Amino acid sequence: MVHDEHFIEIFRSGCQQGDACRQQGDCRGAEGLGQGESCRRGSGVRLTREFALTAAHCLQARELKGLDMVMLRLSDDRQVEAEVLDYDRRSDLALLNLTFPEGEDVVLPEVCFDDARQGEAWKAVRQPDSADVLTGSVADVSFEYGDPRKNLKVPALRLNCPVGPDDYGMFAGSPVERGGPHPPTAVLGLIIERRAWDGASEHAVFAATIREAVKQFDRFRFRVEDLARDQWPLAVRPYSVEATETEQKLRISAAVAEALDKAGYDSLVAVHWIHR
């Protein structure tokens, strides 16, 4: 990989970075962040300085609900915590908000994003500078991913790759990059869960796209910028992380409805104030 500032690793809460973990041991019950296989749960990709994506199935229920912080390690070995702001089961995506010490200069990841093209080469590594690499070609740029039994489907990438189920989980959340040595790094998406009912080949790998992530988490007002193909592929930029007006109205309505319910009223009356 030419640049890996965008790469993050996710660890089990309560593990310790020390000799036991570095030697692939276990550190259950200790505090901190480790490197052992019993502690590592997956990877992810940073969208911006503070925001990142990972596969939702890598995280525990309490983390998805925002009750526990997610333990992360950046590509420069810094240990940080992150909060799950939102997640989507259909696309197997979770949006993380990384927390850094106040005043710390956080470098913007040197990475750009792009749409996959049919038949092009791709690659994914398990962790930065790792010898564990998946490679293949793009089989489908708009595969219907999800649970068709419940009519819950979202577009995703279907990638050709001879990988077994035991190895597949090791790459959960790993950034999928365009194959080839040409900088800058172009991330096409991130590896998500293989589901029993997907109907695809056993050698298929699935990846959520950055466009789909922006669509799923649009309440945080991320936007996609399509830049010139001969310069940079598309970029993702958050221009606000405040609740949208629609969400604010929903929150207010929910609070009013809850208050009325507690007061014994079972209907909601909309009151319009008139300025005089």
Side-chain angles (χ1 to χ4, degrees):
M1 296 174 62
V2 179
H3 301 293
D4 60 10
E5 294 93 337
H6 59 284
F7 206 109
I8 61 172
E9 295 179 87
I10 300 170
F11 291 84
R12 176 178 60 81
S13 299
C15 66
Q16 182 180 23
Q17 184 175 13
D19 291 339
C21 258
R22 292 181 184 277
Q23 296 170 9
Q24 311 300 306
D26 195 354
C27 58
R28 296 184 184 277
E31 297 179 353
L33 183 64
Q35 300 185 48
E37 290 308 301
S38 60
C39 301
R40 190 180 185 280
R41 297 217 305 265
S43 305
V45 56
R46 288 173 66 192
L47 296 176
T48 65
R49 290 179 176 87
E50 292 86 14
F51 292 93
L53 287 174
T54 189
H57 80 274
C58 292
L59 304 177
Q60 298 173 343
R62 288 184 57 85
E63 293 168 335
L64 291 174
K65 294 177 181 178
L67 301 176
D68 288 341
M69 299 295 284
V70 182
M71 306 286 284
L72 305 178
R73 183 170 64 223
L74 306 185
S75 60
D76 60 3
D77 279 340
R78 274 188 299 174
Q79 303 171 27
V80 300
E81 292 185 333
E83 176 187 8
V84 176
L85 295 181
D86 201 356
Y87 69 96
D88 179 64
R89 291 288 191 186
R90 296 173 304 166
S91 58
D92 191 30
L93 286 173
L95 179 66
L96 306 177
N97 187 192
L98 282 63
T99 57
F100 296 93
E102 186 176 353
E104 181 174 344
D105 184 21
V106 182
V107 178
L108 180 69
E110 190 171 350
V111 62
C112 55
F113 307 95
D114 202 1
D115 297 317
R117 298 166 178 80
Q118 195 85 20
E120 73 173 334
W122 65 272
K123 63 180 180 180
V125 297
R126 182 170 167 274
Q127 53 192 151
D129 301 321
S130 171
D132 297 324
V133 182
L134 296 181
T135 59
S137 60
V138 177
D140 191 341
V141 297
S142 58
F143 181 81
E144 290 188 342
Y145 176 87
D147 189 348
R149 300 171 303 180
K150 299 179 180 178
N151 199 29
L152 299 175
K153 296 178 287 186
V154 294
L157 301 179
R158 181 169 61 88
L159 311 171
N160 287 327
C161 181
V163 58
D166 292 338
D167 295 329
Y168 192 102
M170 297 167 52
F171 290 86
S174 289
V176 173
E177 302 176 3
R178 173 164 290 127
H182 309 292
T185 299
V187 173
L188 307 176
L190 68 156
I191 294 178
I192 50 180
E193 187 176 19
R194 176 191 283 165
R195 292 171 174 168
W197 53 80
D198 56 45
S201 166
E202 62 179 1
H203 296 308
V205 172
F206 299 97
T209 66
I210 303 304
R211 284 191 187 273
E212 185 60 29
V214 171
K215 178 182 177 182
Q216 294 299 330
F217 303 128
D218 63 345
R219 70 190 185 94
F220 292 98
R221 295 191 181 183
F222 286 100
R223 61 187 171 93
V224 169
E225 256 183 43
D226 286 299
L227 306 178
R229 290 288 184 188
D230 59 348
Q231 296 179 5
W232 294 79
L234 67 89
V236 180
R237 303 186 186 283
Y239 55 95
S240 174
V241 294
E242 299 296 330
T244 62
E245 182 181 2
T246 300
E247 186 187 7
Q248 288 175 344
K249 288 181 178 179
L250 289 174
R251 286 180 177 177
I252 292 172
S253 296
V256 172
E258 182 180 1
L260 289 173
D261 182 62
K262 289 181 178 179
Y265 297 97
D266 57 2
S267 62
L268 177 62
V269 178
V271 179
H272 299 278
W273 297 97
I274 301 176
H275 295 282
R276 296 183 179 179

